[in-house]
């Protein structure tokens, strides 16, 4: 048993390394202009971890294809929490990985823009950004957890199920909080409509009375009535 | 023994490479400004079953144009002004598939769009060497629970998006009611006072003209 474990160590590491490297290869990508800022919204419950991986490529006119970006070109990543407070604001290189954990439930905004100051670098082209954002349970690296805690396959599967159920529970708690806010907004609208219809009726009646009295006194003064 | 060890490493490396063909899905929510178009690209291997699902979360009439093209530019899916849709296809060619969301028909509302692009199946949890043996009952039970929980999480996401949409409409309504009540109060007062002033001015002018004519 011990011999098997010793052999598995470096094997696992190489698999892990390859997984990490290969996961960068075919992620979703999009194009971003030089001064453009692209924002993504993640609505998450509290105590949820988010891991974002990105990789940039610059269009090379000579070879007419996208090549890995030069060293000087980095991306500025800014993360705002639901109260518009900045919780992460860092510059990374042409390839980067950012992690944060939410402390308040709600809409978090992840914004990316390039830090390019040399306008010639883009040469009118676009920057290709490969992006991958993993939320909550998806952010867990199970190979790492298995190696660290020395879990069998069954134990690892059960661990994954536990993490999933945990995420479901957090989301439902957050759902309860959101529903309360929604109910408060609806009740506020209901109150406003009720209050406004009463006030409107009173204003109309008061103005009507004022108009008639004022005009009557005016005509009496003019000796027309 | 050494050869057996290195063979196992090689097999695991190859297995890991194979795994990378099974890429995880991407799920993103982004802002689409008015008159803007946003495109996303992904390299897909032939024969992979893919699903594109999108939903407009906030903004205007909660609709967006969506278009999915294969590497040769053939449109696989095109819908205008859709609020929510789901499209499954099997990749017929290797290459870069492109899907775009367009808000070009809207002049001043910017929208928030959620999309979930699933490519292939999820990778296996534990790349182990015992792939030849079938899963035990416990393991297959775990797998089915995992699939069921995945669909629960998927339903939760859709519910969350619908709730966000409903809440956004309710908050819009609330602000509109507030502005409307203040606006109407001002209009009422202005109209009623100006009515009285206008009436008064009619009678005042008549008086002066009669005196002028008289003298």
């Amino acid at each position: 048993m011990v011999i098997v474990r010793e052999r598995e160590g470096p094997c696992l590491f190489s698999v892990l390394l390859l997984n990490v490297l290969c996961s960068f290869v075919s992620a979703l990508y999009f194009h971003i202009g030089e001064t453009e800022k692209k924002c993504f919204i993640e609505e998450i419950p509290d105590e949820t971890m988010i891991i974002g991986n990105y990789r940039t490529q610059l269009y090379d006119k000579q070879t007419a294809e996208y090549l890995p970006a030069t060293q000087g070109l980095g991306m500025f990543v800014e993360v705002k929490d639901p109260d518009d407070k900045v919780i992460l604001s860092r510059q990374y290189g042409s390839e980067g990985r950012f992690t944060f954990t939410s402390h308040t439930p709600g809409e978090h905004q992840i914004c990316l823009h390039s830090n390019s100051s040399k306008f010639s670098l883009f040469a009118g082209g676009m920057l290709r950004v490969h992006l991958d954002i993993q939320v909550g349970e998806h952010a867990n690296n199970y190979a790492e957890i298995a190696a660290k805690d020395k879990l069998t396959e069954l134990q690892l599967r059960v661990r994954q199920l536990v993490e999933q159920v945990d995420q479901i529970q957090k989301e439902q708690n957050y759902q309860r909080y959101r529903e309360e806010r929604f109910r408060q907004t609806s009740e506020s609208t209901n109150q406003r409509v009720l209050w406004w219809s009463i006030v409107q009726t009173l204003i109309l009646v008061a103005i009507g009375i004022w108009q008639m009295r004022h005009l009557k006194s005016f005509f009496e003064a003019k000796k027309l009535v | 023994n050494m050869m057996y060890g290195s063979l196992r490493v090689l097999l695991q490396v190859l297995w890991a490479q194979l795994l990378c063909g099974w890429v995880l899905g991407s799920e993103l929510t982004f802002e689409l400004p008015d008159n803007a178009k946003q495109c996303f690209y992904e390299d897909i291997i032939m024969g992979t079953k893919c699903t594109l699902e999108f939903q407009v979360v906030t903004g205007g009439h909660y609709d967006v144009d969506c278009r999915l093209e294969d590497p040769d530019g053939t449109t696989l899916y095109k819908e205008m002004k859709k609020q929510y849709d789901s499209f499954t296809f099997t990749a017929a060619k290797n290459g870069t598939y492109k899907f775009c969301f367009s808000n070009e028909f809207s002049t001043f509302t910017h929208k928030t769009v959620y999309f979930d692009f699933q490519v292939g199946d999820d990778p296996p949890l534990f790349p182990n060497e015992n792939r030849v043996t079938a899963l035990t009952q416990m393991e297959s039970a775990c797998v089915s629970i995992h699939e069921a929980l995945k669909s629960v999480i998927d339903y939760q996401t859709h519910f969350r998006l619908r709730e966000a949409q409903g809440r956004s409409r309710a908050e819009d309504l609330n602000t509109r009611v507030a502005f409307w009540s203040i606006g109407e109060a001002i209009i009422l007062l202005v109209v009623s006072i100006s009515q009285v002033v206008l009436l008064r001015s009619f009678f005042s002018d008549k008086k002066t003209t009669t005196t002028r004519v008289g003298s």
Side-chain angles (χ1 to χ4, degrees):
Chain A
M1 280 283 260
V2 175
I3 300 165
V4 167
R5 288 258 171 81
E6 272 178 16
R7 281 220 192 109
E8 270 185 4
C11 298
L12 216 64
F13 181 74
S14 62
V15 164
L16 182 71
L17 195 66
L18 260 163
N19 256 325
V20 165
L21 290 173
C22 293
S23 65
F24 277 13
V25 171
S26 22
L28 194 76
Y29 65 85
F30 54 93
H31 295 135
I32 187 170
E34 193 148 357
T35 48
E36 222 182 318
K37 191 173 186 178
K38 278 277 186 287
C39 290
F40 298 94
I41 298 167
E42 289 292 335
E43 193 173 359
I44 44 174
D46 58 349
E47 306 309 321
T48 307
M49 183 163 79
I50 289 195
I51 294 179
N53 291 304
Y54 76 87
R55 185 168 69 98
T56 53
Q57 282 178 322
L58 196 56
Y59 188 68
D60 185 19
K61 280 216 167 120
Q62 288 152 352
T63 54
E65 63 173 41
Y66 281 86
L67 297 177
T70 54
Q71 277 304 106
L73 189 66
M75 293 289 280
F76 198 80
V77 177
E78 191 181 51
V79 177
K80 283 197 191 149
D81 77 348
D83 305 318
D84 258 344
K85 199 177 69 173
V86 176
I87 55 177
L88 178 74
S89 175
R90 259 191 68 180
Q91 190 171 297
Y92 296 84
S94 64
E95 225 173 271
R97 179 194 167 95
F98 55 92
T99 311
F100 67 93
T101 308
S102 61
H103 297 293
T104 24
E107 278 189 7
H108 290 70
Q109 206 181 42
I110 302 166
C111 288
L112 298 163
H113 64 269
S114 70
N115 69 341
S116 156
S117 51
K118 307 173 220 159
F119 286 92
S120 59
L121 210 64
F122 273 58
M126 303 283 257
L127 188 69
R128 179 180 284 186
V129 181
H130 297 249
L131 183 66
D132 181 37
I133 297 179
Q134 301 294 329
V135 178
E137 181 263 332
H138 294 293
N140 286 339
N141 190 334
Y142 288 104
E144 206 180 287
I145 292 173
K148 195 176 71 145
D149 296 338
K150 296 187 177 45
L151 301 174
T152 65
E153 186 176 339
L154 191 61
Q155 285 175 324
L156 189 68
R157 284 191 190 276
V158 170
R159 173 72 70 93
Q160 188 189 34
L161 293 176
V162 165
E163 298 282 337
Q164 271 190 308
V165 169
D166 212 17
Q167 187 181 356
I168 290 172
Q169 220 176 359
K170 278 191 212 153
E171 180 83 30
Q172 292 204 314
N173 256 336
Y174 177 45
Q175 171 61 28
R176 201 156 41 112
Y177 158 79
R178 277 194 319 258
E179 192 273 338
E180 195 183 310
R181 257 189 62 194
F182 187 5
R183 205 168 4 107
Q184 278 174 355
T185 308
S186 298
E187 280 175 5
S188 154
T189 308
N190 194 18
Q191 285 245 342
R192 282 185 192 180
V193 168
L194 183 67
W195 179 85
W196 167 239
S197 28
I198 292 172
V199 167
Q200 190 184 32
T201 314
L202 288 173
I203 288 180
L204 272 173
V205 167
I207 281 179
I209 293 171
W210 173 78
Q211 274 186 329
M212 291 303 116
R213 278 177 55 182
H214 185 86
L215 281 173
K216 185 171 175 199
S217 65
F218 174 68
F219 287 141
E220 276 174 352
K222 298 282 178 194
K223 298 197 177 60
L224 291 164
V225 177
Chain B
N1 256 355
M2 281 283 276
M3 222 175 72
Y4 179 60
S6 52
L7 187 69
R8 262 174 55 177
V9 173
L10 187 68
L11 275 171
Q12 287 196 323
V13 163
L14 285 172
W15 180 245
Q17 292 265 26
L18 204 70
L19 281 183
C20 299
W22 308 95
V23 176
L24 298 165
S26 313
E27 189 183 57
L28 288 174
T29 312
F30 66 97
E31 273 174 18
L32 191 61
D34 46 307
N35 281 322
K37 183 171 161 176
Q38 176 71 40
C39 292
F40 294 90
Y41 308 80
E42 180 136 13
D43 299 324
I44 304 177
I45 299 171
M46 185 168 68
T48 326
K49 185 163 162 238
C50 312
T51 310
L52 173 66
E53 210 175 335
F54 69 91
Q55 188 170 349
V56 184
V57 185
T58 63
H61 290 291
Y62 304 90
D63 53 3
V64 77
D65 297 340
C66 179
R67 188 201 181 98
L68 174 66
E69 286 175 7
D70 75 352
D72 299 326
T74 326
T75 307
L76 296 173
Y77 170 83
K78 183 178 172 177
E79 284 287 344
M80 315 289 278
K81 297 197 178 171
K82 264 287 199 162
Q83 290 190 353
Y84 156 76
D85 207 0
S86 169
F87 176 66
T88 312
F89 67 99
T90 310
K93 302 167 199 146
N94 278 326
T96 309
Y97 284 73
K98 162 178 161 180
F99 58 98
C100 297
F101 297 99
S102 164
N103 195 21
E104 283 155 340
F105 57 85
S106 170
T107 37
F108 54 86
T109 40
H110 66 255
K111 310 219 160 115
T112 313
V113 179
Y114 159 89
F115 73 86
D116 182 15
F117 192 52
Q118 288 292 332
V119 175
D121 296 322
D122 280 343
L125 187 61
F126 199 82
N128 56 357
E129 316 92 75
N130 304 339
R131 269 297 124 187
V132 280
T133 60
L135 296 169
T136 66
Q137 251 190 340
M138 286 284 281
E139 283 171 0
S140 48
C142 282
V143 168
S144 50
I145 295 175
H146 176 65
E147 293 297 319
L149 289 180
K150 264 206 310 199
S151 76
V152 169
I153 291 175
D154 198 34
Y155 281 126
Q156 267 192 330
T157 306
H158 284 295
F159 187 67
R160 170 171 56 86
L161 293 172
R162 285 257 171 254
E163 189 271 341
Q165 212 179 53
R167 191 163 26 97
S168 147
R169 278 196 221 238
E171 282 168 2
D172 264 347
L173 183 65
N174 201 10
T175 11
R176 275 187 215 161
V177 165
F179 281 134
W180 167 241
S181 35
I182 294 170
E184 208 192 319
I186 294 171
I187 290 175
L188 263 177
L189 288 170
V190 164
V191 165
S192 55
I193 291 173
S194 55
Q195 269 181 337
V196 170
V197 165
L198 203 63
L199 267 172
R200 282 174 65 136
S201 71
F202 284 157
F203 288 99
S204 309
D205 281 351
K206 232 183 185 171
K207 196 94 198 282
T208 46
T209 38
T210 43
T211 44
R212 231 184 278 148
V213 167
S215 61

PDB file of all heavy atoms in Angstrom, chain B residues 110-134:
ATOM      1  N   HIS B 110     -29.720  49.602 -21.320  1.00  0.00           N
ATOM      2  CA  HIS B 110     -28.705  48.569 -21.382  1.00  0.00           C
ATOM      3  C   HIS B 110     -29.167  47.369 -20.577  1.00  0.00           C
ATOM      4  O   HIS B 110     -29.890  47.504 -19.609  1.00  0.00           O
ATOM      5  CB  HIS B 110     -27.339  49.089 -20.951  1.00  0.00           C
ATOM      6  CG  HIS B 110     -27.251  49.476 -19.531  1.00  0.00           C
ATOM      7  ND1 HIS B 110     -27.235  50.784 -19.126  1.00  0.00           N
ATOM      8  CD2 HIS B 110     -27.156  48.742 -18.401  1.00  0.00           C
ATOM      9  CE1 HIS B 110     -27.140  50.812 -17.813  1.00  0.00           C
ATOM     10  NE2 HIS B 110     -27.091  49.592 -17.352  1.00  0.00           N
ATOM     11  N   LYS B 111     -28.745  46.217 -21.019  1.00  0.00           N
ATOM     12  CA  LYS B 111     -29.297  44.987 -20.482  1.00  0.00           C
ATOM     13  C   LYS B 111     -28.224  44.158 -19.802  1.00  0.00           C
ATOM     14  O   LYS B 111     -27.050  44.249 -20.110  1.00  0.00           O
ATOM     15  CB  LYS B 111     -29.870  44.149 -21.636  1.00  0.00           C
ATOM     16  CG  LYS B 111     -30.787  44.970 -22.529  1.00  0.00           C
ATOM     17  CD  LYS B 111     -31.981  44.214 -22.978  1.00  0.00           C
ATOM     18  CE  LYS B 111     -33.037  45.194 -23.414  1.00  0.00           C
ATOM     19  NZ  LYS B 111     -33.325  45.095 -24.828  1.00  0.00           N
ATOM     20  N   THR B 112     -28.682  43.326 -18.881  1.00  0.00           N
ATOM     21  CA  THR B 112     -27.794  42.352 -18.249  1.00  0.00           C
ATOM     22  C   THR B 112     -28.218  40.987 -18.757  1.00  0.00           C
ATOM     23  O   THR B 112     -29.373  40.612 -18.632  1.00  0.00           O
ATOM     24  CB  THR B 112     -27.943  42.391 -16.718  1.00  0.00           C
ATOM     25  OG1 THR B 112     -27.910  43.730 -16.301  1.00  0.00           O
ATOM     26  CG2 THR B 112     -26.842  41.637 -16.043  1.00  0.00           C
ATOM     27  N   VAL B 113     -27.276  40.260 -19.352  1.00  0.00           N
ATOM     28  CA  VAL B 113     -27.601  38.967 -19.954  1.00  0.00           C
ATOM     29  C   VAL B 113     -26.818  37.871 -19.255  1.00  0.00           C
ATOM     30  O   VAL B 113     -25.625  38.011 -18.999  1.00  0.00           O
ATOM     31  CB  VAL B 113     -27.240  38.973 -21.465  1.00  0.00           C
ATOM     32  CG1 VAL B 113     -27.558  37.638 -22.100  1.00  0.00           C
ATOM     33  CG2 VAL B 113     -27.981  40.078 -22.180  1.00  0.00           C
ATOM     34  N   TYR B 114     -27.502  36.772 -18.961  1.00  0.00           N
ATOM     35  CA  TYR B 114     -26.856  35.596 -18.384  1.00  0.00           C
ATOM     36  C   TYR B 114     -26.810  34.527 -19.462  1.00  0.00           C
ATOM     37  O   TYR B 114     -27.787  34.327 -20.172  1.00  0.00           O
ATOM     38  CB  TYR B 114     -27.683  35.110 -17.186  1.00  0.00           C
ATOM     39  CG  TYR B 114     -27.437  33.665 -16.807  1.00  0.00           C
ATOM     40  CD1 TYR B 114     -26.441  33.326 -15.903  1.00  0.00           C
ATOM     41  CD2 TYR B 114     -28.201  32.637 -17.350  1.00  0.00           C
ATOM     42  CE1 TYR B 114     -26.210  32.008 -15.564  1.00  0.00           C
ATOM     43  CE2 TYR B 114     -27.971  31.319 -17.010  1.00  0.00           C
ATOM     44  CZ  TYR B 114     -26.977  31.009 -16.121  1.00  0.00           C
ATOM     45  OH  TYR B 114     -26.749  29.710 -15.796  1.00  0.00           O
ATOM     46  N   PHE B 115     -25.673  33.841 -19.580  1.00  0.00           N
ATOM     47  CA  PHE B 115     -25.652  32.709 -20.491  1.00  0.00           C
ATOM     48  C   PHE B 115     -24.848  31.579 -19.872  1.00  0.00           C
ATOM     49  O   PHE B 115     -23.966  31.788 -19.034  1.00  0.00           O
ATOM     50  CB  PHE B 115     -25.093  33.085 -21.876  1.00  0.00           C
ATOM     51  CG  PHE B 115     -23.609  33.304 -21.907  1.00  0.00           C
ATOM     52  CD1 PHE B 115     -22.724  32.252 -22.088  1.00  0.00           C
ATOM     53  CD2 PHE B 115     -23.095  34.573 -21.759  1.00  0.00           C
ATOM     54  CE1 PHE B 115     -21.356  32.465 -22.123  1.00  0.00           C
ATOM     55  CE2 PHE B 115     -21.724  34.797 -21.794  1.00  0.00           C
ATOM     56  CZ  PHE B 115     -20.861  33.737 -21.964  1.00  0.00           C
ATOM     57  N   ASP B 116     -25.187  30.351 -20.295  1.00  0.00           N
ATOM     58  CA  ASP B 116     -24.522  29.157 -19.789  1.00  0.00           C
ATOM     59  C   ASP B 116     -24.201  28.301 -21.006  1.00  0.00           C
ATOM     60  O   ASP B 116     -25.107  27.822 -21.689  1.00  0.00           O
ATOM     61  CB  ASP B 116     -25.463  28.436 -18.828  1.00  0.00           C
ATOM     62  CG  ASP B 116     -24.825  27.207 -18.216  1.00  0.00           C
ATOM     63  OD1 ASP B 116     -23.595  27.070 -18.295  1.00  0.00           O
ATOM     64  OD2 ASP B 116     -25.570  26.400 -17.636  1.00  0.00           O
ATOM     65  N   PHE B 117     -22.936  28.157 -21.307  1.00  0.00           N
ATOM     66  CA  PHE B 117     -22.518  27.404 -22.494  1.00  0.00           C
ATOM     67  C   PHE B 117     -21.820  26.145 -22.027  1.00  0.00           C
ATOM     68  O   PHE B 117     -20.694  26.189 -21.549  1.00  0.00           O
ATOM     69  CB  PHE B 117     -21.580  28.281 -23.337  1.00  0.00           C
ATOM     70  CG  PHE B 117     -21.315  27.734 -24.706  1.00  0.00           C
ATOM     71  CD1 PHE B 117     -22.360  27.366 -25.541  1.00  0.00           C
ATOM     72  CD2 PHE B 117     -20.024  27.597 -25.191  1.00  0.00           C
ATOM     73  CE1 PHE B 117     -22.127  26.873 -26.807  1.00  0.00           C
ATOM     74  CE2 PHE B 117     -19.790  27.111 -26.469  1.00  0.00           C
ATOM     75  CZ  PHE B 117     -20.831  26.736 -27.272  1.00  0.00           C
ATOM     76  N   GLN B 118     -22.537  25.014 -22.128  1.00  0.00           N
ATOM     77  CA  GLN B 118     -21.982  23.737 -21.680  1.00  0.00           C
ATOM     78  C   GLN B 118     -21.372  23.010 -22.860  1.00  0.00           C
ATOM     79  O   GLN B 118     -22.045  22.800 -23.866  1.00  0.00           O
ATOM     80  CB  GLN B 118     -23.087  22.863 -21.085  1.00  0.00           C
ATOM     81  CG  GLN B 118     -23.598  23.304 -19.739  1.00  0.00           C
ATOM     82  CD  GLN B 118     -22.554  23.126 -18.652  1.00  0.00           C
ATOM     83  OE1 GLN B 118     -21.701  22.252 -18.752  1.00  0.00           O
ATOM     84  NE2 GLN B 118     -22.630  23.941 -17.637  1.00  0.00           N
ATOM     85  N   VAL B 119     -20.126  22.624 -22.744  1.00  0.00           N
ATOM     86  CA  VAL B 119     -19.457  21.886 -23.818  1.00  0.00           C
ATOM     87  C   VAL B 119     -19.093  20.515 -23.290  1.00  0.00           C
ATOM     88  O   VAL B 119     -18.326  20.401 -22.342  1.00  0.00           O
ATOM     89  CB  VAL B 119     -18.182  22.644 -24.275  1.00  0.00           C
ATOM     90  CG1 VAL B 119     -17.423  21.845 -25.299  1.00  0.00           C
ATOM     91  CG2 VAL B 119     -18.549  23.998 -24.825  1.00  0.00           C
ATOM     92  N   GLY B 120     -19.654  19.485 -23.892  1.00  0.00           N
ATOM     93  CA  GLY B 120     -19.315  18.125 -23.486  1.00  0.00           C
ATOM     94  C   GLY B 120     -19.807  17.804 -22.092  1.00  0.00           C
ATOM     95  O   GLY B 120     -20.643  18.500 -21.518  1.00  0.00           O
ATOM     96  N   ASP B 121     -19.268  16.765 -21.537  1.00  0.00           N
ATOM     97  CA  ASP B 121     -19.643  16.368 -20.182  1.00  0.00           C
ATOM     98  C   ASP B 121     -18.636  16.905 -19.190  1.00  0.00           C
ATOM     99  O   ASP B 121     -17.529  17.277 -19.554  1.00  0.00           O
ATOM    100  CB  ASP B 121     -19.652  14.832 -20.065  1.00  0.00           C
ATOM    101  CG  ASP B 121     -20.708  14.221 -20.956  1.00  0.00           C
ATOM    102  OD1 ASP B 121     -21.788  14.819 -21.052  1.00  0.00           O
ATOM    103  OD2 ASP B 121     -20.439  13.176 -21.557  1.00  0.00           O
ATOM    104  N   ASP B 122     -19.004  16.869 -17.940  1.00  0.00           N
ATOM    105  CA  ASP B 122     -18.053  17.265 -16.903  1.00  0.00           C
ATOM    106  C   ASP B 122     -16.929  16.244 -16.828  1.00  0.00           C
ATOM    107  O   ASP B 122     -17.161  15.055 -17.016  1.00  0.00           O
ATOM    108  CB  ASP B 122     -18.756  17.332 -15.545  1.00  0.00           C
ATOM    109  CG  ASP B 122     -19.523  18.623 -15.397  1.00  0.00           C
ATOM    110  OD1 ASP B 122     -19.247  19.548 -16.175  1.00  0.00           O
ATOM    111  OD2 ASP B 122     -20.390  18.685 -14.527  1.00  0.00           O
ATOM    112  N   PRO B 123     -15.724  16.667 -16.524  1.00  0.00           N
ATOM    113  CA  PRO B 123     -14.634  15.688 -16.431  1.00  0.00           C
ATOM    114  C   PRO B 123     -14.841  14.767 -15.232  1.00  0.00           C
ATOM    115  O   PRO B 123     -15.477  15.169 -14.263  1.00  0.00           O
ATOM    116  CB  PRO B 123     -13.380  16.547 -16.263  1.00  0.00           C
ATOM    117  CG  PRO B 123     -13.878  17.833 -15.731  1.00  0.00           C
ATOM    118  CD  PRO B 123     -15.254  18.035 -16.267  1.00  0.00           C
ATOM    119  N   PRO B 124     -14.321  13.558 -15.296  1.00  0.00           N
ATOM    120  CA  PRO B 124     -14.467  12.659 -14.145  1.00  0.00           C
ATOM    121  C   PRO B 124     -13.756  13.245 -12.935  1.00  0.00           C
ATOM    122  O   PRO B 124     -12.807  14.005 -13.073  1.00  0.00           O
ATOM    123  CB  PRO B 124     -13.786  11.363 -14.593  1.00  0.00           C
ATOM    124  CG  PRO B 124     -13.629  11.480 -16.047  1.00  0.00           C
ATOM    125  CD  PRO B 124     -13.600  12.920 -16.389  1.00  0.00           C
ATOM    126  N   LEU B 125     -14.234  12.886 -11.792  1.00  0.00           N
ATOM    127  CA  LEU B 125     -13.747  13.502 -10.574  1.00  0.00           C
ATOM    128  C   LEU B 125     -12.303  13.102 -10.265  1.00  0.00           C
ATOM    129  O   LEU B 125     -11.483  13.920  -9.898  1.00  0.00           O
ATOM    130  CB  LEU B 125     -14.662  13.089  -9.426  1.00  0.00           C
ATOM    131  CG  LEU B 125     -14.406  13.761  -8.093  1.00  0.00           C
ATOM    132  CD1 LEU B 125     -14.593  15.246  -8.225  1.00  0.00           C
ATOM    133  CD2 LEU B 125     -15.354  13.212  -7.066  1.00  0.00           C
ATOM    134  N   PHE B 126     -12.048  11.854 -10.398  1.00  0.00           N
ATOM    135  CA  PHE B 126     -10.777  11.328  -9.934  1.00  0.00           C
ATOM    136  C   PHE B 126     -10.163  10.493 -11.051  1.00  0.00           C
ATOM    137  O   PHE B 126     -10.606   9.392 -11.307  1.00  0.00           O
ATOM    138  CB  PHE B 126     -11.039  10.455  -8.709  1.00  0.00           C
ATOM    139  CG  PHE B 126      -9.831  10.226  -7.868  1.00  0.00           C
ATOM    140  CD1 PHE B 126      -9.433  11.170  -6.942  1.00  0.00           C
ATOM    141  CD2 PHE B 126      -9.095   9.062  -7.999  1.00  0.00           C
ATOM    142  CE1 PHE B 126      -8.323  10.957  -6.154  1.00  0.00           C
ATOM    143  CE2 PHE B 126      -7.978   8.844  -7.207  1.00  0.00           C
ATOM    144  CZ  PHE B 126      -7.601   9.786  -6.284  1.00  0.00           C
ATOM    145  N   PRO B 127      -9.181  11.015 -11.736  1.00  0.00           N
ATOM    146  CA  PRO B 127      -8.608  10.227 -12.841  1.00  0.00           C
ATOM    147  C   PRO B 127      -7.779   9.072 -12.287  1.00  0.00           C
ATOM    148  O   PRO B 127      -6.601   9.196 -12.027  1.00  0.00           O
ATOM    149  CB  PRO B 127      -7.736  11.237 -13.575  1.00  0.00           C
ATOM    150  CG  PRO B 127      -7.398  12.268 -12.561  1.00  0.00           C
ATOM    151  CD  PRO B 127      -8.490  12.293 -11.552  1.00  0.00           C
ATOM    152  N   ASN B 128      -8.459   7.943 -12.091  1.00  0.00           N
ATOM    153  CA  ASN B 128      -7.741   6.833 -11.456  1.00  0.00           C
ATOM    154  C   ASN B 128      -7.441   5.757 -12.486  1.00  0.00           C
ATOM    155  O   ASN B 128      -7.924   5.772 -13.608  1.00  0.00           O
ATOM    156  CB  ASN B 128      -8.551   6.253 -10.309  1.00  0.00           C
ATOM    157  CG  ASN B 128      -9.935   5.823 -10.769  1.00  0.00           C
ATOM    158  OD1 ASN B 128     -10.301   6.016 -11.935  1.00  0.00           O
ATOM    159  ND2 ASN B 128     -10.690   5.255  -9.869  1.00  0.00           N
ATOM    160  N   GLU B 129      -6.647   4.810 -12.047  1.00  0.00           N
ATOM    161  CA  GLU B 129      -6.219   3.774 -12.973  1.00  0.00           C
ATOM    162  C   GLU B 129      -7.247   2.671 -13.121  1.00  0.00           C
ATOM    163  O   GLU B 129      -7.159   1.879 -14.034  1.00  0.00           O
ATOM    164  CB  GLU B 129      -4.897   3.142 -12.499  1.00  0.00           C
ATOM    165  CG  GLU B 129      -3.870   4.158 -12.018  1.00  0.00           C
ATOM    166  CD  GLU B 129      -3.973   4.402 -10.526  1.00  0.00           C
ATOM    167  OE1 GLU B 129      -3.551   3.551  -9.743  1.00  0.00           O
ATOM    168  OE2 GLU B 129      -4.486   5.459 -10.150  1.00  0.00           O
ATOM    169  N   ASN B 130      -8.193   2.587 -12.182  1.00  0.00           N
ATOM    170  CA  ASN B 130      -9.131   1.457 -12.205  1.00  0.00           C
ATOM    171  C   ASN B 130     -10.339   1.724 -13.091  1.00  0.00           C
ATOM    172  O   ASN B 130     -11.452   1.414 -12.735  1.00  0.00           O
ATOM    173  CB  ASN B 130      -9.612   1.143 -10.784  1.00  0.00           C
ATOM    174  CG  ASN B 130      -8.455   0.873  -9.858  1.00  0.00           C
ATOM    175  OD1 ASN B 130      -7.372   0.535 -10.319  1.00  0.00           O
ATOM    176  ND2 ASN B 130      -8.665   1.059  -8.574  1.00  0.00           N
ATOM    177  N   ARG B 131     -10.107   2.337 -14.228  1.00  0.00           N
ATOM    178  CA  ARG B 131     -11.231   2.641 -15.101  1.00  0.00           C
ATOM    179  C   ARG B 131     -11.879   1.391 -15.679  1.00  0.00           C
ATOM    180  O   ARG B 131     -13.027   1.422 -16.093  1.00  0.00           O
ATOM    181  CB  ARG B 131     -10.779   3.525 -16.262  1.00  0.00           C
ATOM    182  CG  ARG B 131     -10.891   5.021 -16.024  1.00  0.00           C
ATOM    183  CD  ARG B 131     -12.270   5.458 -15.814  1.00  0.00           C
ATOM    184  NE  ARG B 131     -12.443   6.166 -14.570  1.00  0.00           N
ATOM    185  CZ  ARG B 131     -13.603   6.541 -14.085  1.00  0.00           C
ATOM    186  NH1 ARG B 131     -14.704   6.263 -14.718  1.00  0.00           N
ATOM    187  NH2 ARG B 131     -13.687   7.194 -12.946  1.00  0.00           N
ATOM    188  N   VAL B 132     -11.124   0.302 -15.764  1.00  0.00           N
ATOM    189  CA  VAL B 132     -11.659  -0.910 -16.402  1.00  0.00           C
ATOM    190  C   VAL B 132     -12.775  -1.544 -15.575  1.00  0.00           C
ATOM    191  O   VAL B 132     -13.731  -2.081 -16.098  1.00  0.00           O
ATOM    192  CB  VAL B 132     -10.550  -1.964 -16.671  1.00  0.00           C
ATOM    193  CG1 VAL B 132      -9.805  -1.573 -17.917  1.00  0.00           C
ATOM    194  CG2 VAL B 132      -9.591  -2.041 -15.492  1.00  0.00           C
ATOM    195  N   THR B 133     -12.654  -1.452 -14.239  1.00  0.00           N
ATOM    196  CA  THR B 133     -13.692  -2.065 -13.412  1.00  0.00           C
ATOM    197  C   THR B 133     -14.921  -1.168 -13.384  1.00  0.00           C
ATOM    198  O   THR B 133     -14.811   0.046 -13.416  1.00  0.00           O
ATOM    199  CB  THR B 133     -13.190  -2.283 -11.980  1.00  0.00           C
ATOM    200  OG1 THR B 133     -12.834  -0.998 -11.453  1.00  0.00           O
ATOM    201  CG2 THR B 133     -11.969  -3.183 -11.969  1.00  0.00           C
ATOM    202  N   ALA B 134     -16.073  -1.791 -13.286  1.00  0.00           N
ATOM    203  CA  ALA B 134     -17.310  -1.007 -13.229  1.00  0.00           C
ATOM    204  C   ALA B 134     -17.413  -0.310 -11.884  1.00  0.00           C
ATOM    205  O   ALA B 134     -16.762  -0.694 -10.920  1.00  0.00           O
ATOM    206  CB  ALA B 134     -18.507  -1.929 -13.438  1.00  0.00           C
TER     207      ALA B 134
END
